[in-house]
Every structure is written in structure tokens, then in C-alpha cells.
Amino acid sequence: MKIIINENERGFLFKNGRFKKMLIPGKHSVSPVLGETFFKTTIFRMVNIKEVDMSVLLKDKNFADSVIKAEVPDSYLALHYEDGRILDTLRPGTYYFWKIFHEHTFKLIDISTPAVNLPNEIMSVVPGSLFTQIAVAEGETGLLFFDGKYIEQIFSGNYCFWNTTVKISCQLVDIRTQQLDVNSQEILTADKVTLRLNFVCNFRVTDAVSIINVLKDYKTQIYVTTQLVLREYVGRLKFDELLEQKDSLAGFVLEKLREKQDSLFVEFTDAGLKDIILPGEIRDIMNTVLIAEKNAQANVISRREEVASTRSLLNTAKLMEENTTLYKLKELEYLEKICDKVGSISIGNGNLLGQLNELINTRR
């Protein structure tokens, strides 16, 4: 039986079940009568022959000269290059590649330690299951832990760590200015009035390492501290005093918070009171007081205008009493106003309005 092995193929000849040799490209004779059998395989990159053990094939010099072996020990990866260009990554194990048409080279990478010191173009061919990637954004800092133990502080950027027996974790901390809202805080004044306050403060982390390693939950700590300072301020004032001094509340709280900021590993930059929410009955009382005050102010203004009007009339009367001509002129002025507003007035057969108009014109 004649067989043909193509240029991109290799054949393997067996006789009575025993490997005899590798068949190179060309025409070959195989005699089944003599117990000869064969199989063919394509020679493309990795040698993938499952029909026979590799150690048997390597006894043939032609085969041994046609392949290259890659041995990757435990705790290592191998970067696989084909014709000088990186192709893929090999995990621990033994590999064989055809070297007939392409040159294959390998570079071992120690992954026994978590840190990765490889360029991004190389990491792009490494399977994602082999490493952990940590991204630290601008305005953040990261605290790196190996098996729960703090190692170092890392800053904005992308970091890769090999997936080894060491557990990698990273705690991100925002180092920008942050706002903390303390809303609907029910606080009792010195005279037993219950109020609700909405308060806000701004802070930024100054020591990311200490704030994570020393404080369990720093935001809760800051929140509680702000609550206590608010209660300290409001609790020593009566309701009326609080309303009078509400503008100074933010300054007092900010000053107290700054006294405690070193132990919280932050810096407080600003604080402010947003709202004071009164109970329903207190709000009704306040509205009643406000209405009464406005009514009182309106009455004062009304009386002031009445006094001014009366004083003006008194002055006018004194002038007319002292000056007869002015008195007559005032009479004529009122008569003229009456005539302008009345259409006609008749008494008997006479026209009183016409007579008044004649009188006014005569006097002028």
C-alpha cells in the first residue's frame, strides 16, 4: 500500500504494534500483510499525539530533531515565544513543539512570590485566572495585605499579583474631601424640648494606614463623634437660647471636632447646620407668637399713621383759624371736589349745583 505524507504532515509507522520510525514528507510503502500500520498528524505548533507515549517517539532521531521540549517546573510559568514574538503562557508541565517551520523559545517566570514585574503587553497573554488585578483610582490610595497582614501602601494605578497560596487583598481609601451628613438627630435641650437637627461636616483622610489599621470603621467613628459634639452643644442650652445662638453652633462643633481629628486620622475642613426641625406643638406655638408679633407691629404702624394724620389736620386747622383767606380757599377746594363728584342737585325749581359752580367761578 502506497501512502503520501504532505509537507505539513508527519507519519508514524508501526510493525506488529511496535513503533518503527517517523515518516517524512513523500511517498511511502506500508504493508499490512507484514503487520505494518501507520497514522499521520499535522505539524502545527504543539505536538499532540495521543496514540503513543512521547518517550517511545523520541527514540527516533528524526522525530527528536524535529521537536523542542519545554519543561515548566512548579511555582513557575513559561512565556512562549514563536519566531521571537510572544505567543502564550505555559503552566507547570512538560510540552513538545514542532520546530520544523518555526522557532520556539521559552522564558521561565517565578511566581512563588505574589508581585508581578512584567510589562502590560506580556500580561495580556497571561490567562486571567493566573493573577489578580487591583486598580487604584486617582484620589484614592490602597493598603495591600498578604494573608491579612499589611504590606505596603500603593497609589493610583493598576497592579497585578500572581495567584499563589498567598491571599491578596487591598483596602481602598478615598483621600479626597468627603462629606458626612448627620441627619434627623433627635436632641433634648436643657428645658426638655426635643428637636431634630440636620448637620453636615467635611473631612479628608490624612493617614490612610492608621485609619484602616487602628479604626474598625472610621466613618462610623466620625459620625458618632459628630453626634456627641452636637448633643454636648444643644443639651446645655434652653430652646430659646439655642434659637438665638444657632449661628454659632457650626463653629462650636467644628472646633470640637478639630480637637479630636488627630485620633481619628482625618482633618475637618468645614461644618454647617442645615435645618432645625421643631415638633408639631412647638411649631404651632412659634407660628402663633410670630402672628401676634406681626399684628402688634401692624397696630403700631397704624397708630403712628393716625397720629401723623391727626397732627397734620391740627396744623391745618391752626393755619385756617389764623388766616381767613386760607379758610375760604379750603372751603372752595371742598366745594370743587363735591361738584366734580356729583352730577346735579335740584332744590325746588332751582339748580343748586349750577349755582355752586357760578359761586366758585365768581370767587376765582
Side-chain angles (χ1 to χ4, degrees), residues 187-198:
I187 303 177
L188 199 65
T189 63
D191 51 354
K192 311 306 180 185
V193 176
T194 302
L195 306 174
R196 281 193 297 153
L197 301 181
N198 291 332

Side-chain angles (χ1 to χ4, degrees), residues 110-126:
D110 185 0
I111 62 170
S112 60
T113 57
V116 176
N117 297 313
L118 294 176
N120 290 335
E121 59 270 18
I122 293 179
M123 291 304 298
S124 64
V125 301
V126 177

Side-chain angles (χ1 to χ4, degrees), residues 252-347:
F252 174 86
V253 174
L254 182 59
E255 181 181 352
K256 289 295 183 179
L257 289 176
R258 284 176 173 170
E259 293 176 1
K260 303 175 183 293
Q261 65 184 8
D262 291 340
S263 60
L264 295 171
F265 310 107
V266 297
E267 178 188 6
F268 290 98
T269 58
D270 195 12
L273 177 65
K274 295 169 65 176
D275 303 296
I276 297 180
I277 303 172
L278 304 177
E281 60 274 12
I282 298 297
R283 186 167 56 249
D284 293 341
I285 294 172
M286 293 292 293
N287 289 335
T288 302
V289 171
L290 179 62
I291 293 172
E293 288 179 351
K294 294 301 180 182
N295 287 334
Q297 292 176 1
N299 290 334
V300 170
I301 294 173
S302 177
R303 287 195 295 271
R304 186 183 299 123
E305 293 298 325
E306 289 178 0
V307 170
S309 176
T310 303
R311 184 180 292 112
S312 176
L313 288 174
L314 179 61
N315 292 335
T316 302
K318 287 181 178 181
L319 289 173
M320 288 189 296
E321 183 181 2
E322 297 171 355
N323 192 322
T324 305
T325 303
L326 180 60
Y327 181 82
K328 296 295 183 181
L329 288 174
K330 201 65 176 176
E331 280 186 333
L332 292 175
E333 180 181 342
Y334 281 108
L335 284 173
E336 185 177 8
K337 289 181 180 179
I338 292 172
C339 292
D340 288 339
K341 293 184 179 296
V342 179
S344 63
I345 301 174
S346 299
I347 299 176

Side-chain angles (χ1 to χ4, degrees), residues 224-243:
V224 172
T225 301
T226 307
Q227 276 186 317
L228 295 176
V229 174
L230 279 172
R231 293 180 186 279
E232 177 186 350
Y233 182 87
V234 175
R236 62 184 176 85
L237 296 177
K238 293 183 178 180
F239 174 67
D240 291 337
E241 294 173 338
L242 176 63
L243 295 182

Side-chain angles (χ1 to χ4, degrees), residues 4-57:
I4 295 177
I5 304 298
N6 295 322
E7 189 67 32
N8 65 332
E9 295 177 330
R10 290 296 182 270
F12 298 89
L13 182 65
F14 293 81
K15 185 175 182 179
N16 297 326
R18 298 183 65 182
F19 174 63
K20 189 175 180 181
K21 66 176 180 178
M22 183 180 73
L23 303 177
I24 62 175
K27 186 182 292 186
H28 300 271
S29 295
V30 177
S31 178
V33 177
L34 298 176
E36 292 182 340
T37 59
F38 82 100
F39 68 86
K40 296 190 294 185
T41 185
T42 301
I43 53 172
F44 179 72
R45 290 181 179 161
M46 185 179 293
V47 178
N48 188 17
I49 299 174
K50 299 179 181 179
E51 291 79 359
V52 62
D53 190 86
M54 192 65 63
S55 61
V56 175
L57 298 178

Side-chain angles (χ1 to χ4, degrees), residues 124-227:
S124 64
V125 301
V126 177
S129 59
L130 296 179
F131 66 93
T132 297
Q133 187 171 14
I134 295 174
V136 182
E138 191 70 33
E140 291 181 332
T141 186
L143 305 185
L144 188 63
F145 295 84
F146 290 174
D147 288 334
K149 182 180 179 181
Y150 171 71
I151 300 300
E152 64 177 337
Q153 184 176 359
I154 57 179
F155 302 94
S156 58
N158 292 318
Y159 302 84
C160 296
F161 301 90
W162 297 117
N163 290 335
T164 62
T165 57
V166 177
K167 182 181 178 181
I168 308 296
S169 61
C170 182
Q171 177 74 54
L172 297 178
V173 180
D174 196 330
I175 56 176
R176 297 169 296 183
T177 298
Q178 303 178 58
Q179 177 176 303
L180 179 68
D181 292 305
V182 182
N183 292 326
S184 300
Q185 291 301 301
E186 290 193 356
I187 303 177
L188 199 65
T189 63
D191 51 354
K192 311 306 180 185
V193 176
T194 302
L195 306 174
R196 281 193 297 153
L197 301 181
N198 291 332
F199 194 79
V200 61
C201 65
N202 296 328
F203 68 93
R204 66 177 187 86
V205 175
T206 55
D207 188 346
V209 176
S210 297
I211 205 170
I212 295 299
N213 291 330
V214 177
L215 303 180
K216 183 177 181 180
D217 185 346
Y218 71 90
K219 288 189 177 180
T220 299
Q221 296 279 359
I222 295 172
Y223 187 92
V224 172
T225 301
T226 307
Q227 276 186 317

